[in-house]
């Protein structure tokens, strides 16, 4: 007796927009799908070139969660493969988990294919590394509170800003004045560099560099209120020091260290440890708004 047909839902990260930022795995999932559900307002139409001519194409912009789940139920009953295309990476602000949970209740197999997040795409467009030795070694991904989705206690932008490291701020352009206030209250100087990115990797993309002090006027000048990401932090204009990764004094499983370079590197590390201070400390005292006198 033949096994009953089993369906599958694959959540596909389509990246920030450009169709050629799809992974090979994502393109294969779309090509194998009987049903493709995609976010037409957030994903470029070229991604559908991977779909079969006979595949059913649905625009999620017109669908509620219940509508989408109904497709998953139909797929489970008929043994269909569904490609659910999300913008960016499904791990971030994609409404993915609630769908995965409903699929588990239905009893249909799921797979998640990661995608390029917009913060990575914007860093690439700005030609910046977000972690610079001795300047910033962490990246905080967050959004401004006060929107449709409440922020949990302790996750306010001002609290994260106290770390002084690199921040990627999503879904915050409509309240740029509040964003600036919270960044300053957290301790960033007004001169802190910012990259403002609208529709990154789309034909109409706009990448503008400014500072926290000019962020609000930059947003209003370009009339930005959605599809905008901010990168903030001292790493965005810092060169830092040489990393250890390719230093001749650094060794790993595939390369031996040069003895003389190794001694110099260890001496340098010891001196750095004695005189280390944070980038914010190095900028001197600040007033109540985080501005260096």
């Amino acid at each position: 007796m033949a096994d009953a047909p089993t369906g599958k839902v694959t959540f596909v990260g389509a990246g920030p927009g450009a169709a050629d930022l799809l992974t090979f795995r994502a393109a294969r999932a779309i090509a194998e799908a009987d049903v493709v559900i995609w976010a037409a307002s957030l994903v470029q139409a070229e991604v559908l070139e991977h779909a079969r001519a006979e595949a059913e194409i649905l625009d999620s912009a017109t669908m509620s969660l219940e509508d989408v789940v109904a497709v998953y139920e139909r797929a489970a009953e008929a043994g269909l493969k569904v490609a659910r295309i999300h913008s960016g990476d499904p791990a971030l602000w994609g409404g993915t988990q609630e769908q995965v949970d409903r699929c588990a209740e239905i009893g249909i197999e799921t797979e998640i294919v990661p995608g390029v997040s917009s913060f990575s795409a914007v860093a690439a467009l700005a030609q910046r590394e977000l972690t610079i030795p001795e300047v910033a070694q962490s990246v905080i991904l967050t959004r401004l509170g006060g929107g449709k989705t409440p922020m949990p206690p302790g996750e306010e932008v001002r609290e994260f800003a106290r770390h002084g490291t690199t921040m990627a701020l999503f879904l915050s352009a409509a309240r740029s004045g509040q964003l600036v206030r919270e960044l300053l209250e957290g301790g960033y100087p007004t001169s802190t560099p910012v990259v403002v990115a609208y529709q990154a990797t789309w034909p109409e993309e706009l990448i503008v560099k400014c500072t926290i002090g000019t962020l609000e006027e930059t947003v209003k000048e370009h009339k930005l209120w959605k599809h905008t990401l901010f990168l903030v932090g001292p790493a965005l204009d810092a060169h830092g020091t040489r990393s250890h990764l390719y230093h001749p004094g650094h060794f790993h499983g595939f390369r031996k260290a040069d003895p003389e370079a190794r001694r110099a590197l260890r001496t340098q590390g010891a001196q750095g440890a004695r005189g280390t201070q944070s980038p914010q400390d190095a900028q001197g005292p600040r007033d109540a708004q985080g501005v260096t006198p």
Side-chain angles (χ1 to χ4, degrees):
M1 181 176 178
D3 293 335
T6 57
K8 181 178 180 179
V9 178
T10 302
F11 297 92
V12 176
D20 58 358
L21 286 176
L22 280 175
T23 64
F24 287 117
R25 185 177 298 181
R28 185 169 62 249
I30 296 170
E32 294 175 351
D34 301 295
V35 183
V36 177
I37 305 175
W38 73 304
S41 63
L42 300 172
V43 178
Q44 291 185 20
E46 287 82 358
V47 301
L48 298 180
E49 294 177 0
H50 297 284
R52 294 183 290 118
E54 63 272 24
E56 180 183 359
I57 309 296
L58 301 172
D59 182 359
S60 63
T62 65
M63 305 171 73
S64 66
L65 175 62
E66 288 73 17
D67 295 331
V68 173
V69 171
V71 176
Y72 299 162
E73 291 173 338
R74 175 159 57 91
E77 294 171 359
L80 302 176
K81 292 183 178 180
V82 179
R84 175 65 170 98
I85 303 177
H86 282 266
S87 62
D89 183 275
L92 297 173
W93 296 289
T96 307
Q97 193 61 52
E98 60 185 359
Q99 296 178 74
V100 172
D101 292 344
R102 295 297 289 274
C103 286
E105 294 172 6
I106 294 168
I108 188 170
E109 180 185 355
T110 57
E111 179 185 5
I112 299 178
V113 179
V116 175
S117 176
S118 56
F119 84 90
S120 295
V122 172
L125 290 168
Q127 298 193 29
R128 296 300 311 181
E129 184 175 357
L130 303 182
T131 53
I132 302 295
E134 299 184 30
V135 177
Q137 288 292 285
S138 304
V139 180
I140 296 172
L141 313 179
T142 191
R143 57 175 292 178
L144 190 63
K148 296 178 181 179
T149 303
M151 293 295 284
E155 291 194 19
E156 295 82 7
V157 166
R158 67 174 61 85
E159 297 302 322
F160 286 131
R162 300 188 194 286
H163 294 282
T165 188
T166 308
M167 292 181 68
L169 293 134
F170 298 71
L171 307 168
S172 304
R175 288 164 290 129
S176 57
Q178 178 187 345
L179 176 61
V180 169
R181 288 193 300 273
E182 294 205 24
L183 290 171
L184 294 177
E185 288 169 4
Y188 284 114
T190 56
S191 60
T192 302
V194 178
V195 175
V196 182
Y198 168 77
Q199 290 282 75
T201 79
W202 288 69
E204 57 270 38
E205 77 176 12
L206 174 69
I207 308 294
V208 180
K209 295 181 179 180
C210 63
T211 65
I212 291 178
T214 59
L215 188 155
E216 184 176 7
E217 67 182 72
T218 300
V219 169
K220 291 180 177 178
E221 176 188 353
H222 295 283
K223 298 180 172 61
L224 305 178
W225 62 279
K226 62 179 181 177
H227 306 317
T228 302
L229 174 77
F230 303 98
L231 296 179
V232 179
L236 296 174
D237 67 0
H239 297 290
T241 59
R242 179 174 177 173
S243 71
H244 288 187
L245 183 58
Y246 297 108
H247 194 287
H250 178 67
F251 66 91
H252 52 67
F254 297 92
R255 191 182 74 221
K256 294 182 178 180
D258 175 81
E260 185 174 343
R262 179 66 178 167
R263 285 192 293 272
L265 187 61
R266 295 177 69 176
T267 301
Q268 175 187 332
Q271 292 173 343
R274 288 194 296 270
T276 297
Q277 59 180 343
S278 70
Q280 289 191 346
D281 290 340
Q283 292 160 350
R286 301 195 186 122
D287 63 19
Q289 295 299 315
V291 179
T292 304

